[in-house]
Each structure stands twice: as structure tokens, then as C-alpha cells.
Amino acid sequence: MFRVNLQLLPVKAHYFFFMAAMGPILPQINVIGKQMGIPPDIMGLITSILPIMYVLAKPAVGFLADFFTSLRKVIFMAIIAMMTLCYAGFYLLPMPKEVAGIHHTLSLNASQILPCNSPENSDFRWISVQCSANCSNVVAQLEGNINSSGSDFCAHKAVPESLTGLCVLSCEEHSDLALDNPRVFWAFVLLMCLGTIAFNVINSLSDAVCFDVLEESQEMKYGQQRVWGTIGFGLTALIGGIAVDMATDGVVKSIGPAIIVMIIFSVVDLFTVTRLKLPKLSSESILKDVMKVLKRPGVVTFLIFATIAGIIDSFIIYYMFWHLEEVAAETGYEASIKLIEGCVVAAECLGGEILFFLISGKILKRIGFVHCLSLCFFTYSLRLVLISVIPNPWYLVPIELFMQGATYALCYTCIVAYASAIAPPGTSSTIQGLVAGMDDGLGFAIGSLIGGQMYKRLGGAVSFRVFAAGALVTCIAHIILRPATKSLPSDAREQYEIPPEQEKVGK
């Protein structure tokens, strides 16, 4: 007979409603910046600085939650409210469609469409436009500039090879609001930073609360709780994508429907948090206990490779949809891109993530933290290669369906379960914040900065292949280095100091 564990029900509910609130908005943050005219290198700079704040905010808030145990729920709810308000603020920012309205139609041979940075185009006063190009019945979306007389056009990127012959361009003026208006740019940056910092802090606090409720005897059941967050995220990402496409026409999309979905689920989540029953755990000296953990060589080794995992994951998170939208523009799928993006996120969450969160505990018991992390680097390499070769946007759906679970879900569970295993009683929030700060804090900062510069210079497909090669090299290095640490005399370096029961399984 199926039985529901009522003690764990509020934890499952929190994960579901919290991640459901993020499903429609989180994958779209970089796309919103792109829609406002922020180029990838500037977006990469912003998102590389932002995770540095995670490194500071996560352990700091975790320490406060561990220190003021009676206020853990209040701290939790305040950060959820702040996150919701910041992301909702995106709706108040002007979008390019609000300043559009002037249309231009011109005819050019495809061979005459030159890059905007070419010498031939240096003497014109240019106006930013988004165009639908019809070249011998082959349609593609182009972004570029037209001169003040409306007689010539230059493209921001190379014209797709599929466009040949005479092209009829139907263009709409488009102001790069974020760059033309500093107030809009800095308002977007502020809301993005505060909202994303709050989201990441809640993530690590949620994991600490989950492991505290599970206690040591049920640690490996973490994935069975976290999977409900995946279900919620996938469902609302799909709903949000459909709602945005249905509510708005054209290239520039309104995020209003996504904001509404987010607010509804955030409000329900706030009520859910009030139902959480947190065990009373304390430490005589939180900082002293944490420093003891950080002095262990095995812990340091694991944190270094966890940071590399964050570097790889950040590039996928920040630039996969950017690459997808470029592929859509080249292949004529731009009108339905939000639907495709919603399907991608739904496939990620409702496919592989559910499976791997459910079986992650069994995998960790079977192979341990070390071999699990090596496996994750290999699957990341495979996933990055597949993303780089998609011929049209719809191919990304089955790729993410099968690969998201074997990469993100398994790697994330491995890292947070390890953090729980090494955390002394009463320090769970601090340790989770510290480990997460290295993974999606420092790792994300490095990955975003490198990724943004690489993407601008090499393009999406080549950048994904470079990161794939890096993931494979890391996998090999991890396999080689782990036996070397075992040969050292200190017992503390074996198996990254996994719990005793893990060592027995490994033997």
C-alpha cells in the first residue's frame, strides 16, 4: 500500500512551488537582456561578476540561518519575497516594441548584405532594425542596421548560406534600449542581480533544510524530494512559453504572462514554508567547525572539481538559449522560439531530471562521490557536443530530454549530498552555502566570463565544442588524479572522505 510521509510532504511542496515559480522566468533572463539589445560579451561580464556575490551571500546567509535558528523561516520567506519582487520588476522595464513602429521595405541581393563593421558601411548614419528576409522563398530573421534613407542594409552577423539571390527585407526599427538608455540598463542589471542572488541563496537554504529534515538515516532520499522541484519547473516553463507565444506576436515577446505565473506560485510557496517543521540543531562554534572541515585535503580536492563543474554548467545555462535563438533565426523558426524553449525546459525537467533525481541516491551508494563526479564530466562533454551540432531548434528537445538528468541532476545531487555528509551538526546551512558558492558561485563567475568572450569571438557552435573538450579533459584528469590522492599516506585523502557507509560500499 502506498503511504505518504507527512513529515516530508512540506519539503516536497516547497520544492515544487518554489521551482514552479522560477520555471517561466529563470531560463529567459539572458534572453530578456538580448531582447533589450545587450550584446553577449556585456551580458557575460554581468553574469561573471554576479556569481562572485553568491560566494559571499550563500555562506553569509547560511551562517545567519544557523546562528539565529528561531528565525530561519522568517529569513527564508523574506528572501523568497525579495526574489519575486525583483523578477516581477522586469515587467516595468520598457521593451523594444514600445519604441518600434517605423517600417522599411527594401530589396537587395544576398551578396550585397555586408557586415555592419565593414569599411564600406562606415560613412552612414545607421538605424537599428529587425528584419524578415525573403530570398527566393527562403525566409530568415536578420538583425542589423539600415542607413537614414532606408536604401541600404548591413547585418550584425554573417548572412546564412541558405539566403541567395534577390532578397526582400521587411524591417522594423528597433532601439537597443539597454545601451541607448543607461537608466534602463542599470535597472535591468540591479533587478537581475538582486533576484538571482536571492534565488541562489534560497536554493542552498532549501537543500540544507531538506537534509536537516531527512537526518543522516535518510540522506540518500534527497533526490526523491528535489525531484518535485524539477516537476514544477518543467510544467511552468512549458506553460509560460505557450502563454508568452499566444499573448504576443512578432520577434519581441512580452514577459507579462511569465511574471503572472511566477507571482502565483511564489505566493503559494510562502504559505508552504510556514508549514515546514525544522529540527533544532546547534553548534557550539559554527566557524570553528566549518574551518575544521575546510582543512581536510579531500574536501579541498572535491571543491576544486565542483568549481569546474560550475564553470561548465554556467556556460550551458547562460548561452544555450542564446545559441538556440541564433539557430532559430538562421533556420526560420524565430516566430515559435518561445514555445520551443518552453518545450526544451519541459523536456529537461520532466524527462531525465526526474529519473536521475529519483535514482541518484542508489547511484551514489553504488559508485560513491568520486566515480559519480567523473561520470558527470563525461556526460557533460557528450551533451555539449550534441548541442553544438543541432541543425534546427527542435533537435535540442530530445538532446535535453536524455542529457539533462545525466549531467545537471546527477552532478547537483552528488555535490549537495557530499556537502551534507561533511557538515557537522548545526552547520548545514553554512556548509551548503559554502559548497554551492564554489559550484554555482565561483564556477559560474569564471564560466560566464570565459563563455561570453568566447561566444563573441568564436560563435555558439564552436564555443560549445571547446567547452565539450574541456569537460572531457577534466573527466580524464579527475580519473587520473583520484588514485594519486589515495596513494598519499593520509587516510583523510581517500575517497574525498566519504562517510563510513560509503567506504564499505566502495569495498
Side-chain angles (χ1 to χ4, degrees), residues 69-383:
T69 54
S70 61
L71 297 176
R72 291 179 83 181
K73 284 187 183 180
V74 175
I75 295 171
F76 211 14
M77 295 175 69
I79 299 174
I80 292 173
M82 184 181 80
M83 176 200 70
T84 304
L85 291 174
C86 289
Y87 284 149
F90 287 150
Y91 185 73
L92 302 178
L93 299 178
M95 287 289 148
K97 193 171 183 178
E98 297 179 25
V99 297
I102 302 177
H103 297 268
H104 303 267
T105 302
L106 60 160
S107 298
L108 291 172
N109 194 287
S111 61
Q112 295 177 299
I113 303 177
L114 301 175
C116 291
N117 58 1
S118 63
E120 294 88 339
N121 295 321
S122 59
D123 297 330
F124 290 100
R125 176 184 175 272
W126 295 101
I127 301 169
S128 181
V129 291
Q130 291 181 327
C131 304
S132 174
N134 188 328
C135 307
S136 304
N137 294 323
V138 177
V139 180
Q141 301 295 325
L142 300 177
E143 290 187 5
N145 299 332
I146 60 170
N147 59 6
S148 56
S149 64
S151 61
D152 199 6
F153 172 83
C154 67
H156 289 167
K157 296 180 180 178
V159 177
E161 295 181 358
S162 58
L163 299 184
T164 58
L166 183 64
C167 299
V168 178
L169 278 66
S170 178
C171 304
E172 181 178 294
E173 288 193 16
H174 163 67
S175 174
D176 290 339
L177 286 172
L179 300 183
D180 295 343
N181 189 333
R183 291 184 179 180
V184 173
F185 173 78
W186 287 112
F188 171 78
V189 171
L190 180 63
L191 292 173
M192 173 185 169
C193 289
L194 291 178
T196 307
I197 290 171
F199 165 75
N200 280 272
V201 168
I202 298 165
N203 242 346
S204 60
L205 286 178
S206 299
D207 292 335
V209 167
C210 180
F211 281 108
D212 285 347
V213 173
L214 289 172
E215 300 179 334
E216 290 186 18
S217 61
Q218 301 184 88
E219 272 184 347
M220 292 304 170
K221 292 184 178 180
Y222 163 80
Q224 297 174 23
Q225 319 311 313
R226 180 60 178 78
V227 70
W228 289 96
T230 290
I231 295 171
F233 193 92
L235 287 174
T236 57
L238 180 59
I239 293 171
I242 294 173
V244 167
D245 268 345
M246 292 180 64
T248 55
D249 297 320
V251 174
V252 179
K253 301 292 185 178
S254 169
I255 60 168
I259 296 293
I260 293 172
V261 174
M262 178 196 67
I263 292 174
I264 292 172
F265 281 97
S266 289
V267 171
V268 178
D269 184 41
L270 286 171
F271 172 77
T272 301
V273 171
T274 64
R275 313 303 298 173
L276 286 172
K277 293 182 180 180
L278 306 180
K280 294 182 179 180
L281 301 172
S282 62
S283 170
E284 293 182 2
S285 178
I286 296 172
L287 292 178
K288 185 178 179 180
D289 288 343
V290 171
M291 290 307 297
K292 283 183 180 179
V293 171
L294 295 180
K295 289 179 180 179
R296 301 174 187 171
V299 173
V300 175
T301 304
F302 194 92
L303 288 178
I304 291 172
F305 280 98
T307 302
I308 297 174
I311 293 173
I312 298 168
D313 208 30
S314 71
F315 182 71
I316 296 175
I317 290 173
Y318 289 131
Y319 295 104
M320 184 178 72
F321 274 7
W322 204 305
H323 174 58
L324 187 69
E325 296 216 351
E326 290 184 347
V327 174
E330 294 170 358
T331 55
Y333 286 89
E334 202 166 28
S336 57
I337 186 59
K338 295 303 175 188
L339 173 61
I340 297 173
E341 289 170 352
C343 290
V344 168
V345 177
E348 289 177 338
C349 298
L350 303 180
E353 272 195 35
I354 289 180
L355 173 63
F356 275 86
F357 271 129
L358 288 174
I359 66 174
S360 58
K362 294 181 179 179
I363 294 175
L364 284 172
K365 284 182 179 179
R366 181 76 176 178
I367 65 176
F369 294 106
V370 176
H371 296 306
C372 184
L373 198 57
S374 296
L375 175 63
C376 290
F377 285 125
F378 175 77
T379 53
Y380 265 122
S381 177
L382 180 59
R383 178 184 177 188

Side-chain angles (χ1 to χ4, degrees), residues 33-50:
K34 177 178 182 291
Q35 189 166 273
M36 295 178 69
I38 302 176
D41 56 332
I42 294 179
M43 202 68 184
L45 181 62
I46 296 169
T47 51
S48 66
I49 297 173
L50 182 58

Side-chain angles (χ1 to χ4, degrees), residues 53-66 201 429-430 433-434:
M53 301 303 297
Y54 305 163
V55 181
L56 303 174
K58 286 191 171 190
V61 176
F63 175 81
L64 291 176
D66 285 331
V201 168
S429 296
T430 308
L434 185 62

